[in-house]
Amino acid sequence: MTTTLKVPFLAPIAVGTEIVVVAMEEAGIFSGWSACAPILVDRTTGVVYGAFWVPEEIHAGDLDVDKYVEGSYRSAPDVEPAVYRVASCLVRSQGGDHASVGTVLRLEPASGGPAYR
C-alpha cells in the first residue's frame, strides 16, 4: 500500500531509497500534544531531514529529540519509527511574498531490518 507524506521542508530523497520516518509531536499552546512534521532518515547515507526546529545535535545514530529540546517537541510516544521505500519524490518551492518550500513523498512499506542502523 502506497502512502503519501507531505513535509514542509526540503527532502530530496532518491527514488528507491529506504527511509525511516520518526513521528513527532509539538506542545500545544495551552495543553496537550499534536502531530507535527516528522524527522526523516535516509538509511543509505545517514542524512537526516527535518523542520527548522530539529536541533543541530541530531544525527542518524541519535534521534533523541527529548535530550536536546526543552519540552516543545518530542517523539510521538505511541508511534514506532517506520521504514519505507521512496516510490517518488517531488520537491517544490514558491518564491515572492508567500515563499515556501516542501516535499511530497510517495512511500511503500519496506521489508528490511530494524528502523535504526
Side-chain angles (χ1 to χ4, degrees):
M1 172 191 253
T2 302
T3 302
T4 299
L5 177 62
K6 298 177 183 179
V7 292
F9 51 83
L10 298 177
I13 303 171
V15 171
T17 300
E18 283 192 0
I19 64 168
V20 177
V21 177
V22 181
M24 301 301 299
E25 295 180 337
E26 62 184 333
I29 295 174
F30 299 109
S31 66
W33 293 86
S34 60
C36 64
I39 292 175
L40 309 176
V41 182
D42 180 324
R43 291 184 79 192
T44 302
T45 64
V47 174
V48 177
Y49 298 93
F52 69 93
W53 58 264
V54 174
E56 292 177 8
E57 296 86 357
I58 293 295
H59 57 86
D62 180 9
L63 298 172
D64 187 2
V65 171
D66 299 338
K67 217 172 13 176
Y68 305 110
V69 178
E70 297 179 16
S72 304
Y73 297 91
R74 69 179 186 187
S75 299
D78 300 330
V79 182
E80 289 294 318
V83 179
Y84 294 97
R85 183 171 310 283
V86 176
S88 72
C89 178
L90 168 64
V91 177
R92 56 188 180 175
S93 64
Q94 176 180 345
D97 293 340
H98 303 286
S100 66
V101 296
T103 304
V104 180
L105 297 167
R106 259 193 26 239
L107 305 172
E108 298 171 344
S111 59
Y116 297 108
R117 51 183 197 136

